[in-house]
Amino acid sequence: QVQLVESGGGLVQAGGSLRLSCAASGRTFSTYAMGWFRQAPGKEREFVAAISRNAGNTYYPDSVKDRFTISRDNAKNTLYLQMNSLKPEDTAVYYCAAGIYPGTTQSAYNYWGQGTQVTVSS
């Protein structure tokens, strides 16, 4: 129903910054809450950030709070994740997701992108 494509991943040194983008299909983008999750090798998928459909509310776990910022531009059908002060433990495949509400668990989201690799070197 909604197609999501992440981009912006890459290799960055610890302490550096990176901005991820998630391009969403069509007119329905603004009707979805959006989230970012990540999955590191050998670990389960982890909540990173969420944002309400009108961007009025954002949510972060303690592991990224004050370092990461989620935002969206509904006019451009695009979701962003600005990542600052990156740490090696941030290394993972990052996925964007669309759902009914900006939940902290995977079950809140119905649609997922293919992921983009973020690697933070020490």
Side-chain angles (χ1 to χ4, degrees):
Q1 187 167 353
V2 60
Q3 298 179 53
L4 306 172
V5 180
E6 302 95 334
S7 63
L11 176 65
V12 65
Q13 193 172 10
S17 298
L18 205 61
R19 188 174 79 157
L20 306 183
S21 297
C22 174
S25 63
R27 298 179 179 181
T28 61
F29 177 69
S30 63
T31 71
Y32 290 97
M34 300 294 295
W36 287 98
F37 288 76
R38 66 188 182 188
Q39 189 163 23
K43 300 184 68 176
E44 294 190 0
R45 196 163 297 186
E46 175 188 20
F47 171 70
V48 175
I51 189 167
S52 59
R53 62 184 62 185
N54 65 175
N57 301 96
T58 58
Y59 307 91
Y60 308 92
D62 289 343
S63 58
V64 308
K65 191 174 184 180
D66 300 323
R67 298 191 298 120
F68 291 11
T69 302
I70 188 171
S71 62
R72 66 192 297 164
D73 186 338
N74 285 348
K76 295 185 176 182
N77 288 355
T78 303
L79 175 75
Y80 303 98
L81 183 67
Q82 178 66 46
M83 303 184 292
N84 298 324
S85 301
L86 283 162
K87 305 174 180 179
E89 51 261 47
D90 295 319
T91 295
V93 176
Y94 283 70
Y95 300 89
C96 68
I100 302 300
Y101 66 95
T104 60
T105 61
Q106 295 180 62
S107 62
Y109 303 92
N110 299 309
Y111 306 99
W112 297 81
Q114 83 291 342
T116 186
Q117 177 71 47
V118 171
T119 302
V120 184
S121 62
S122 60

